[in-house]
Amino acid sequence: MGQLFSKKNKEVFSTPISMNNPVTVQVLGICSALAVTAKLEPAIVMGLSVTVITAFSNVVISLLRKTIPNRIRIIVQLVVVAALVTVVSEVLKAFAYDVSVQLSVYVGLIITNCILMGRLEAFAMQNAPWESFLDGLGNGLGYAKILVIVAFIRELLGSGTLLGFNILNYDPIQKAGYVNNGLMLMPPMALIILACLIWYQRSRHKELQEK
């Protein structure tokens, strides 16, 4: 049990959530981060979907890594990811249809997410299943964290709501002069918020700054 939660394994899990975040540091998965963050609910669902798929695809590839011929490894990785994406997509349609509609094609496009393919190639192909699971889970949660932060800001300031509940759309707040900023719901604002998050992280951690 101690080896399962060793210092190295804890770092494998925690580093992508903060110091080596796949979105703000590795700059991966940007397209979906910009596309599904106008509202908090689809951002949460997208983040959880990517987390589940990344974690379990890492495990599967790690289990198969010694039997996969090198020349077809990318094809095998795509097949594994595609199968998991299909399962997640069908589960969303069955239990969260409205959110599935909001996410539109972006659930299917998880198969092309650079985070997944990067972790499979860079980590799962060289490491054991448990470590690969932690790596996939950490990278997925790191991705989800950024989506949730961006969506929180955009929905709150753009619509005055969070998860459909009115937060700022009340008479005292409106009479005080507050007006929802419709620009927040436009894709360029997601890019600006994301840029601010990248700047904030790099300004706090000197080792991330380019010399």
Side-chain angles (χ1 to χ4, degrees):
M1 183 62 72
Q3 292 181 345
L4 291 178
F5 298 99
S6 64
K7 182 179 179 181
K8 179 181 177 182
N9 286 346
K10 289 179 181 178
E11 290 179 355
V12 168
F13 171 74
S14 62
T15 300
I17 298 177
S18 55
M19 191 59 132
N20 192 29
N21 188 278
V23 180
T24 58
V25 178
Q26 301 175 47
V27 195
L28 301 174
I30 296 294
C31 294
S32 55
L34 303 181
V36 301
T37 53
K39 291 185 177 181
L40 189 55
E41 186 178 19
I44 292 173
V45 173
M46 185 68 171
L48 291 177
S49 299
V50 171
T51 300
V52 170
I53 293 169
T54 306
F56 286 99
S57 61
N58 263 18
V59 171
V60 173
I61 293 300
S62 179
L63 289 169
L64 299 176
R65 71 187 189 282
K66 295 182 180 179
T67 63
I68 302 174
N70 188 60
R71 65 183 181 277
I72 63 167
R73 70 185 190 283
I74 300 298
I75 297 174
V76 174
Q77 292 170 11
L78 287 172
V79 170
V80 171
V81 173
L84 290 170
V85 168
T86 301
V87 171
V88 169
S89 178
E90 294 304 312
V91 169
L92 289 178
K93 289 178 182 177
F95 297 101
Y97 182 76
D98 291 342
V99 178
S100 177
V101 171
Q102 291 181 55
L103 291 174
S104 183
V105 300
Y106 292 101
V107 174
L109 289 176
I110 291 176
I111 189 175
T112 64
N113 195 310
C114 300
I115 298 172
L116 272 84
M117 300 308 298
R119 298 328 297 165
L120 293 176
E121 186 69 10
F123 198 92
M125 288 293 291
Q126 285 83 38
N127 292 274
W130 175 246
E131 288 80 1
S132 297
F133 175 77
L134 292 177
D135 178 77
L137 189 63
N139 277 275
L141 290 175
Y143 169 84
K145 182 181 81 170
I146 300 303
L147 258 66
V148 168
I149 293 174
V150 174
F152 179 92
I153 296 172
R154 292 183 69 192
E155 182 177 356
L156 180 64
L157 300 182
S159 301
T161 62
L162 285 175
L163 296 174
F165 295 99
N166 279 329
I167 304 297
L168 300 177
N169 296 326
Y170 290 104
D171 285 342
I173 298 176
Q174 301 292 331
K175 289 179 180 178
Y178 176 81
V179 178
N180 290 331
N181 186 352
L183 288 174
M184 280 290 176
L185 302 179
M186 300 180 67
M189 289 307 301
L191 187 61
I192 292 173
I193 295 171
L194 186 58
C196 291
L197 292 176
I198 293 174
W199 167 80
Y200 173 75
Q201 183 167 10
R202 291 180 181 271
S203 66
R204 287 190 61 215
H205 301 284
K206 302 298 182 183
E207 58 270 32
L208 297 177
Q209 298 177 11
E210 296 181 3
K211 296 181 180 180

